[in-house]
Amino acid sequence: MSTALPTRTLGTTGPRTAALGLGCMGMSALYGEADRTESVATVHAALDAGVTLLDTGDFYAMGHNEMLLGEALRTAPAAARENALTSVKFGALRGPDGSWNSYDARPEAVKNFAAYSLQRLGVDHIDIYRPARLDPEVPIEETVGAISELVEQGYVRHIGLSEVGPDTIRRAAATAPISDLQIEYSLISRGIEDSILPTVRELGIGVTAYGVLSRGLISGHFGRDRKLGAGDFRAFSPRFQGENLQHNLDLVEQLRKIAEQKGASVAQIAIAWVAARGEDIVPLVGARRRDRLTEALGALDVTLDAADLAAIEEAVPADAAAGERYPAAQMAHLDSER
């Protein structure tokens, strides 16, 4: 690899990974059209830069994202491929029309999903395997227990969680070692700070933070008059609607003043803020293009001192965002919000 990035360890039992990970979802779904060739090139560029953690889900465009990532891994240089860590979420049920149809985290489903993910990714093991959401019909102990069996069999290296609250985290950790919790965390999504972050730190569980740019909202690149296609998740997201959007973009402009003083971009300041919240947190960036990846990697060179952090807090206070992070129906599935 051409560059040595700083590294962090995911919890007390998880793998050591570069301090910035790549979320691959947007290369296949939810943010409008993406170019497959550029997507693969972006994964290759990330690996070449020293990024190791690659995050996907088996339900992202009904397997498309895993197949794309599998292609990228297959065509990457051997050294880069060997250093890559795959993080896979499972459990969301989809229809052929793209509809979302609840979750399934029964032990037999866990193993079924894993078998298909291994095939689509073209790997002999998954580095971190996690249920995307809590299945209210299945005790978390049963789900984690099934993943633990996959660990014993060599198909999975580490067990992760996603978007669950303190009680579920404790029950999962009492069942088997948990490497990390994947959850949304950004300047305008700070709900984990009250009870979830203290819980995972008490238990020695790391955090992989997604949505660090709030789906582009606080990237500094989202225009006030931008039109979103019908297939773009943000067209239905409360934070991107009407007055909410205008309010949130006003926050971005306050952040831009700080970024300019630091000689950094808005996105770099937002990513650096998440990274500065603790050595146990690895931000995931959803770059779909090489130029956006390069910008995100630049955040690792941004140092925020106490004065910078205070200025950021003043510009974007906790709970300053207008609108929930998901539509109401999806918020109802979040154990982390209960």
Side-chain angles (χ1 to χ4, degrees):
M1 295 181 215
S2 61
T3 306
L5 297 180
T7 61
R8 295 182 172 185
T9 301
L10 292 178
T12 57
T13 66
R16 194 155 187 84
T17 178
L20 191 71
L22 180 64
C24 299
M25 181 187 73
M27 297 176 180
S28 297
L30 297 183
Y31 297 142
E33 293 295 325
D35 182 273
R36 188 182 187 92
T37 300
E38 180 61 21
S39 295
V40 170
T42 300
V43 175
H44 287 170
L47 292 171
D48 184 62
V51 172
T52 51
L53 188 63
L54 305 173
D55 184 74
T56 185
D58 63 10
F59 49 88
Y60 292 163
M62 289 70 80
H64 179 280
N65 200 239
E66 285 187 321
M67 290 187 288
L68 184 150
L69 182 53
E71 176 186 341
L73 291 171
R74 185 175 65 254
T75 55
R81 185 168 60 248
E82 291 170 3
N83 283 293
L85 299 170
T86 52
S87 168
V88 179
K89 292 180 291 299
F90 68 87
L93 303 179
R94 306 293 302 273
D97 60 352
S99 58
W100 297 84
N101 303 310
S102 191
Y103 298 89
D104 190 352
R106 294 170 301 144
E108 57 266 41
V110 172
K111 295 172 184 179
N112 177 79
F113 290 141
Y116 282 87
S117 288
L118 290 165
Q119 179 68 25
R120 285 189 290 253
L121 289 166
V123 296
D124 61 9
H125 71 273
I126 296 166
D127 291 288
I128 310 173
Y129 201 47
R130 68 183 86 241
R133 298 288 186 269
L134 178 68
D135 183 342
E137 304 300 323
V138 180
I140 191 63
E141 291 87 350
E142 293 185 15
T143 303
V144 169
I147 305 174
S148 184
E149 290 181 17
L150 293 173
V151 173
E152 293 172 1
Q153 295 164 2
Y155 296 117
V156 170
R157 293 285 189 266
H158 303 279
I159 304 172
L161 299 171
S162 177
E163 288 289 356
V164 290
D167 179 63
T168 302
I169 294 167
R170 291 185 183 281
R171 289 167 54 194
T175 304
I178 304 297
S179 67
D180 67 302
L181 169 70
Q182 187 175 118
I183 195 163
E184 185 166 353
Y185 189 34
S186 74
L187 270 168
I188 62 172
S189 295
R190 297 178 59 175
I192 74 169
E193 293 177 348
D194 293 335
S195 59
I196 293 176
L197 193 54
T199 299
V200 294
R201 285 178 167 163
E202 174 193 335
L203 298 173
I205 296 170
V207 172
T208 44
Y210 76 88
V212 294
L213 297 179
S214 298
R215 299 166 181 82
L217 181 58
I218 59 172
S219 67
H221 300 299
F222 198 93
R224 292 180 184 273
D225 299 320
R226 181 171 173 178
K227 303 300 182 183
L228 297 171
D232 194 317
F233 162 83
R234 294 169 295 188
F236 308 97
S237 173
R239 289 183 175 173
F240 287 82
Q241 306 304 311
E243 292 183 0
N244 286 353
L245 175 63
Q246 301 309 315
H247 170 86
N248 294 331
L249 290 180
D250 285 343
L251 297 176
V252 174
E253 291 312 305
Q254 295 303 310
L255 194 60
R256 193 183 304 277
K257 296 176 183 177
I258 298 169
E260 290 173 349
Q261 292 172 358
K262 292 287 292 184
S265 71
V266 175
Q268 288 169 342
I269 292 295
I271 296 167
W273 181 88
V274 174
R277 305 305 283 179
E279 288 290 320
D280 53 350
I281 298 174
V282 174
L284 298 173
V285 295
R288 302 192 292 172
R289 303 186 334 227
R290 284 168 286 181
D291 59 336
R292 293 288 193 251
L293 172 67
T294 299
E295 179 185 25
L297 287 169
L300 297 177
D301 296 322
V302 176
T303 300
L304 300 176
D305 60 23
D308 296 325
L309 292 171
I312 292 169
E313 288 280 345
E314 183 176 357
V316 187
D319 299 322
E324 297 284 0
R325 57 194 181 102
Y326 286 104
Q330 294 182 40
M331 288 292 289
H333 290 292
L334 298 176
D335 182 66
S336 55
E337 294 287 340
R338 294 171 189 167

